[in-house]
Structure formats: C-alpha cells, structure tokens
Amino acid sequence: MKDKRVSIQEAASAIGNGCRLVMGGMVLQRQPMALVYELVRRGVRDLTVATFVGGNAIDLLVGVGAVQRIEAAYMGMGPFGFAPHFRKAVEAGRVEVDDISESAMMARFKAAGAGVPFLPHRSLLGTDMPKYSRHVREITCPFTGQPLHAVRALESDVTILHAHVADAYGNVQFPLQRNTDELDQVFAKAAKTLIVTVERIIPHEEVLSRSTQTIIPFHWVDMVVEVPYGAHPGSVDGLYREDEAHLRRYVEAAKTPEAFRAYLDEFVTGVQDHWQYLERIGGLRHLSSLHE
Amino acid sequence: MAAKATDYTINELMVVGVARMLRDNEMGFLGIGTGGRAFTLTFGIPAAAARLAQLTHAPNFAVQLGSLVDPKLDRMPSLSSGQSITNLRYDMRWPASARITALDNMDVFIKGDLDVGFVTAAQIDRFGNLNITCIGDYRRPKVRLVGTLAQPELMAFPKRTIILMDQTARAFVPRVDFRTSAGYLEGGDSRQRAGLGPNGPIAVVSNLCIMDFDERTKAMRVRSLHRGVTLEQVRQNTGFELLVAPDLQETEAPTVEEVRLIRERVDPHRILLAH
C-alpha cells in the first residue's frame, strides 16, 4: 500500500490552469481553505469549479480572478449573506454560472460516481434551468413516456476535500456523529483525481479498529495532506466553529479593491504558508476559542 | 369559543395563519435563510408555526431541517455567543430522530414522501412561480442572487407548499425574471402538462394578506386581509392583477392562547421572529 502523504504545495501543484475542480464541503463547512489559499498564492487561472453548495472558498477564488465558470446549486455565505465577489463577477459578466437544483447537482455527481453518462431527473421540470444549462437535456422516459430531463455526469480533473482524519494510505474517516448535509463521499466516488486534506493523520491500526468509519477508502484517494485547522475560517463539524469575526471581515473587505488587496496581503498572498496564516489569525489562543 | 387576541404582531399573525395549514402526523421541510428578514420568512415563521401546531392541534407534526430529521423544536441548544441559528442544524447537541445523508434525504424528497414545504423568494409571479436566481438577464444579470438551493424540489414534490413573502410590487411581478421553481407555470393545467404533479403551492402568506390560487386558472387570489390592511393597499403592492375571493374576509386573528404560546413557549427569546 502506497504512502500518499504529500505537502500542501505538492497537492496544489496538481491543480493547473484550466483545471475542472470539484470543491468539497458545503457553504462554510469543511471547505479545503488551506489548499485554496495555496492555489491563490500560485496564481492558478481559468478554473471551472463545481460543487453542491459553495461558499467562501469559491468566492475567494472568484475574487482573485481565478475562476471562469461555476456549477453549483447555491453560491453564498450562509448567515453572512451573499458571496460578495461571486455576485459582482457574475453581474459584470466575468464568471459564467451553470445553475441547476440541489438534487440535479447531486444527480450529476451520482452519475459520475456510478459510471453512467447521465441520470434521468425530475426536479427541473417547469423551471428555466434546462434553457441555460449545458448539462441538461429534455428526454422522455422510454418506459412511461413521461417528460424528464437527462442531467449529465460531472466530469472533473481534480476533487479537493477537507476531512477529519486519514491514515497515510488515504483511508479517510469521519466521526460517527457528523453533519451529513454535504456530499463529500459522493464527490469522492465521482472523483478522477482526489486530494484530501485532513486535520490529523492517524495510524493505520486506528483505521483498522473502526473500519465502518472509513467513508472514503484509500484506493479512491490520490493524495492526502495533514493540515490542522485546514478549513479555517470555515468549520469542521465537531471540531471547530466558523470564525465569524474573520468571515465578517472577509465580506467587508470585498467592498473595495483596496480593502480586498489588504485582506489578501494580510492572510493569503502576504503569508508564506499555512503555519504563518495560523499565526496571523491569532494562533492557538484564537483557534481554541472556536473549538466545539 | 377561544378568546381572540387584540395585541399581536403581523409576524405572529403569519405564524398562526401557517400553523392552521398544518395537520397532525405530517412532516414539514424547513429551509435555511441567510439572515434578517429572509431568515424570518424561510425559517423563523415556518418553524414557529410548526412548533405552535405541535402545541395545539398537531402534536405529532414533525419537521425536517436539511438532512436533520425531526429536530426537537423545544430542545434547541442555546445559541453560543455569536453562533447563528442557521448553523444550529449542524449542532450535534440538538436532539433529533435521525441525521441522514443529504443524498438519501433528497432521493426520498423527490419520491414524494414529504407533506409540506415552506419557501420564500425574491420574486413571485401571478401563477406562483418563484425566482431566487437573478434579476434581469440570466447571462448578465442586474442582480445575481443565490442560485437555486432546493427550491425547485420544494415546489415540485411536497404534497403542498406554503410560500411566505413580503408583499411589494417589486417582488410580486407579472412574470419572474428567471423561473427558479415551478408554481403553476402559465396557469390552467400547464403544470401537469410539463410533467409535474397536481400538487404545488397552496397559499402565499404575506405581511399584508393570505392568498391562494384559483382552482381552474391557477391565478393568485387574495383570500383574507390582515387587520388594518385594505384591498387597495394589497393591489398597490402587487405588480399584477390579483383575483379576489368572493368571500374575502379579514385574516382570522390569533387567539389569546396562541399569542401566549408563541411569546412564552415557541419563541420566548425572540429569535425566530426577530426580524
């Protein structure tokens, strides 16, 4: 069995310009932020980003001009309002969006994970989404004749997730009690190249002792990176909450290019790596205040 | 005959109006809202209505919040400093019957098991179609909104859907700029012809009145006016011709007991109905 541990820089180097990227997590939860920050530092461009419901990670990439297209059922910052850079970019015509419903987006990932080119779907009937989406076609059920849509399997280059723990071989485990309102396991099934950042690498023996918690088995995973607090300022269920003050600051900084540049300089481009970032946001003392 | 209250807010009236539409042993799906008034319309009022229904005529009414099944509305963990109630559903300390996966949740949703859905939107048109995607042209919108969420599902599959809105001519438009979710499409039987079921939105509860949809044409129709609201006021705040029910009346006031329950047991800390 192969040791799949890599540095965050190595993981980021697998995501080149024009990559079709799947972003794990949901809204502000379990977003692979540390890896996203690394992508910003590397100046990656022309990304097509797909997810279920996106939040600050994708918004930040939009803000630095790294994204050409987004495919998601929602883009926003949950209780912190609209995704500020996303909104501006779409209104200015700088980013394309392919809107389909939550279940239709799930169907795209399900199809990819099940190795079929599309899945029949009902939730888009009567809506305007089929008119505009590249991935939806009108079909008729071959058995009943009822109107349906075909939603195309999601093709991607790299999928990035942030999870609780994994061993060196890439067996990713989630706690029994976790928020299941995301599609990380479905993303993993659908992935072509899968990179998982985790809070902690654990011994293989620990994985063996509770194999039912291995939600993503090692043979689906290409790279694993240990990144404690790797979702900050987002949350990891059961470990730490969102950093509300930081997220408010992020939204505020989106109001002007100068404020955003200052934000980036302080937290992203002006720090060398994740460790410096953690110090910049207040270190262990501040992070402890976010513990669940 | 229970005594009618005279001291009540419009939010409380909307809560009671919605609660009366819920039946015992049903299951309702609550959405999430961003904050402020959107939160009140998407989550606050429906959650309060569900809890009130549980305390009165529907003790076995259960709710679903995302993939959180049957969180106990009387045992919400107290909000830690700064934590938003929207994130409460991720809080493992909130007792609930089940935490299923998002995928399982959605599959069963589409199958049609859910009784009641609650939605709000930036725009609604006269046939109850909704828009939370964009104002203006889709490819170059004047205002880009959040997208779609599970609103298409919430309008397509529950046995009935209740729409909560603030009524303005800007929101109540002749035709939505983008049809995020399907009400009665072009009216008549167009919903069925598109392949959707005969279910759909049954009521629009606004800050001014309660509306439903004409049985034949499926055009929006005002059924009752809230206390102090005139038909003229409603018309001024609606950007299309609204039908009027022949038996138009005043929205039935809450009872003294209902208001007491809302203030003392359902929402004592004024979190659900904060805005």
Side-chain angles (χ1 to χ4, degrees), chain B residues 40 50 91:
Chain B
T40 308
D91 194 323

PDB file of all heavy atoms in Angstrom, chain B residues 40 50 91:
ATOM      1  N   THR B  40     -36.393  35.101   8.735  1.00  0.00           N
ATOM      2  CA  THR B  40     -37.724  35.039   9.337  1.00  0.00           C
ATOM      3  C   THR B  40     -38.713  34.360   8.396  1.00  0.00           C
ATOM      4  O   THR B  40     -39.520  33.540   8.818  1.00  0.00           O
ATOM      5  CB  THR B  40     -38.239  36.451   9.667  1.00  0.00           C
ATOM      6  OG1 THR B  40     -37.247  37.127  10.430  1.00  0.00           O
ATOM      7  CG2 THR B  40     -39.541  36.402  10.431  1.00  0.00           C
ATOM      8  N   ALA B  50     -44.716  25.494  13.004  1.00  0.00           N
ATOM      9  CA  ALA B  50     -44.642  24.053  13.261  1.00  0.00           C
ATOM     10  C   ALA B  50     -44.714  23.788  14.761  1.00  0.00           C
ATOM     11  O   ALA B  50     -45.440  22.904  15.226  1.00  0.00           O
ATOM     12  CB  ALA B  50     -43.356  23.472  12.675  1.00  0.00           C
ATOM     13  N   ASP B  91     -25.400  21.474  14.788  1.00  0.00           N
ATOM     14  CA  ASP B  91     -25.004  21.274  16.182  1.00  0.00           C
ATOM     15  C   ASP B  91     -25.422  19.880  16.627  1.00  0.00           C
ATOM     16  O   ASP B  91     -26.611  19.567  16.687  1.00  0.00           O
ATOM     17  CB  ASP B  91     -25.667  22.356  17.044  1.00  0.00           C
ATOM     18  CG  ASP B  91     -25.054  22.431  18.426  1.00  0.00           C
ATOM     19  OD1 ASP B  91     -24.690  21.373  18.991  1.00  0.00           O
ATOM     20  OD2 ASP B  91     -24.964  23.546  18.964  1.00  0.00           O
TER      21      ASP B  91
END
